[in-house]
């Protein structure tokens, strides 16, 4: 059984992330979505547990598991017996950063963990968690960018 780890902040999960997950589950037997504690991103809308619960509500299928993690992503990948890490690319701006991350992850895991990059469908590529938060705070519709379950929870936080 080939497992893959999909790490990220997911604050919150968007249709861009969901597009990557649906592609990954066609390629691997199990996708482990890892909500990572990111010390670089101080301000977050949802707590780690809230983000995890939201993703769990969206995926009840057996081949998607949601976990939380901190520290090195490669250590988490090894702990969950994953062969690779999935990253989603939105375009050239992501590419430079992701290639660096892929190389360093391969190196610090002593070649155990490789990175597989996937591209979201063109109408999902421009979506990011931060843009969606900004759009909602301007009181504009975000239904095209996130699942209704996520939209409802975001409204409780942003439009209180
Ligand atoms: P991070 O803080 O690690 O960038 P994110 O939650 O923003 O975490 O994203 C997790 C992964 O999903 C990253 O590889 C990111 O590039 C990818 N991703 C996010 N949004 C999209 C999108 N709209 N299309 C494709 N990939 C995406």
């Amino acid at each position: 059984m080939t497992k893959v780890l999909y790490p990220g902040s997911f604050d919150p999960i968007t249709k861009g992330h969901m597009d990557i997950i649906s592609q990954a589950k066609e390629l691997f037997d199990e996708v482990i979505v890892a909500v990572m504690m990111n010390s670089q991103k101080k301000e977050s809308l949802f707590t780690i547990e809230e983000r995890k619960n939201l993703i769990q509500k969206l995926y009840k299928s057996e081949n998607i598991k949601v976990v939380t993690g901190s520290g090195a992503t490669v250590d988490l990948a090894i702990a969950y017996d994953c062969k690779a890490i999935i990253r989603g690319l939105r375009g050239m701006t992501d590419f430079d950063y992701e290639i660096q991350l892929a190389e360093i992850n391969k190196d610090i895991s002593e070649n155990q963990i490789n990175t597989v990059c996937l591209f979201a469908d063109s109408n999902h590529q421009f979506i990011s968690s931060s843009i969606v938060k900004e759009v909602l705070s301007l009181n504009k519709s975000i239904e095209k960018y996130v699942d209704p379950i996520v939209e409802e929870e975001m409204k409780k936080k942003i439009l209180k």
Side-chain angles (χ1 to χ4, degrees):
M1 180 152 142
T2 314
K3 299 186 198 175
V4 73
L5 192 84
Y6 180 33
S9 313
F10 304 103
D11 186 36
I13 184 166
T14 67
K15 286 190 179 173
H17 296 125
M18 292 175 77
D19 189 322
I20 299 297
I21 293 170
S22 72
Q23 292 183 51
K25 75 179 166 79
E26 297 302 318
L27 300 170
F28 296 91
D29 298 314
E30 186 173 30
V31 180
I32 302 177
V33 181
V35 182
M36 301 298 289
M37 202 103 71
N38 186 342
S39 53
Q40 315 272 314
K41 290 187 183 174
K42 294 244 156 53
E43 296 272 308
S44 61
L45 182 64
F46 293 100
T47 66
I48 295 275
E49 282 304 315
E50 286 171 334
R51 291 180 232 167
K52 178 185 169 193
N53 292 340
L54 263 180
I55 304 170
Q56 270 170 337
K57 274 191 198 165
L58 300 177
Y59 296 104
K60 302 212 163 70
S61 82
E62 299 232 321
N63 61 342
I64 297 172
K65 183 172 171 170
V66 192
V67 301
T68 59
S70 58
T73 313
V74 288
D75 289 342
L76 201 65
I78 293 167
Y80 282 103
D81 199 21
C82 294
K83 288 244 180 286
I85 290 172
I86 289 277
R87 296 293 287 175
L89 292 193
R90 282 165 286 207
M92 290 309 280
T93 42
D94 278 344
F95 184 78
D96 277 348
Y97 174 66
E98 294 295 343
I99 196 166
Q100 221 181 335
L101 205 61
E103 284 302 322
I104 200 78
N105 280 336
K106 201 186 226 175
D107 205 44
I108 61 176
S109 69
E110 284 156 1
N111 290 327
Q112 287 186 76
I113 303 294
N114 218 326
T115 300
V116 175
C117 289
L118 295 170
F119 300 88
D121 189 77
S122 57
N123 54 351
H124 289 144
Q125 270 184 24
F126 63 93
I127 307 169
S128 69
S129 303
S130 49
I131 289 280
V132 179
K133 285 182 265 193
E134 201 170 324
V135 172
L136 183 62
S137 67
L138 297 169
N139 221 340
K140 297 287 178 196
S141 168
I142 54 166
E143 67 169 311
K144 281 196 285 184
Y145 317 133
V146 296
D147 184 275
I149 293 174
V150 177
E151 183 179 2
E152 196 186 317
E153 293 307 313
M154 286 182 77
K155 281 182 174 164
K156 284 186 202 158
K157 295 256 184 195
I158 295 178
L159 307 177
K160 5 171 215 222

